Amino acid sequence: MTDHKTTSTPLPGTRDELLTLHRETRRRRNAAAHGSPEHKAAIELIGRIEVEVARIERAMDPPLV
């Protein structure tokens, strides 16, 4: 089940802000009970963050990836 809040929450616009949110979200994931809604939502958000970081890094000149 997907948490609507997780998928509709806009992500920060800078790489540094995204990396900060990634660290915070990993902490939330690690603190949540395995398989709980909070755990699943954190995993989904981490994925969204990683995709956005990759997009930003590919757009850099020169690309980081």
Side-chain angles (χ1 to χ4, degrees):
M1 183 170 124
T2 300
D3 179 0
H4 176 71
K5 182 180 177 194
T6 302
T7 59
S8 64
T9 302
L11 295 175
T14 70
R15 182 178 179 274
D16 289 338
E17 291 171 330
L18 285 163
L19 293 176
T20 298
L21 180 59
H22 190 269
R23 281 189 299 277
E24 293 167 1
T25 306
R26 282 193 340 256
R27 282 189 205 106
R28 281 199 342 255
R29 178 202 60 198
N30 293 344
H34 185 76
S36 68
E38 295 82 12
H39 186 254
K40 292 176 184 177
I43 290 170
E44 182 178 320
L45 183 54
I46 288 168
R48 288 182 57 221
I49 294 166
E50 290 175 353
V51 167
E52 188 64 15
V53 168
R55 186 192 66 75
I56 289 170
E57 290 177 349
R58 282 190 311 270
M60 290 178 167
D61 189 22
L64 288 181
V65 190

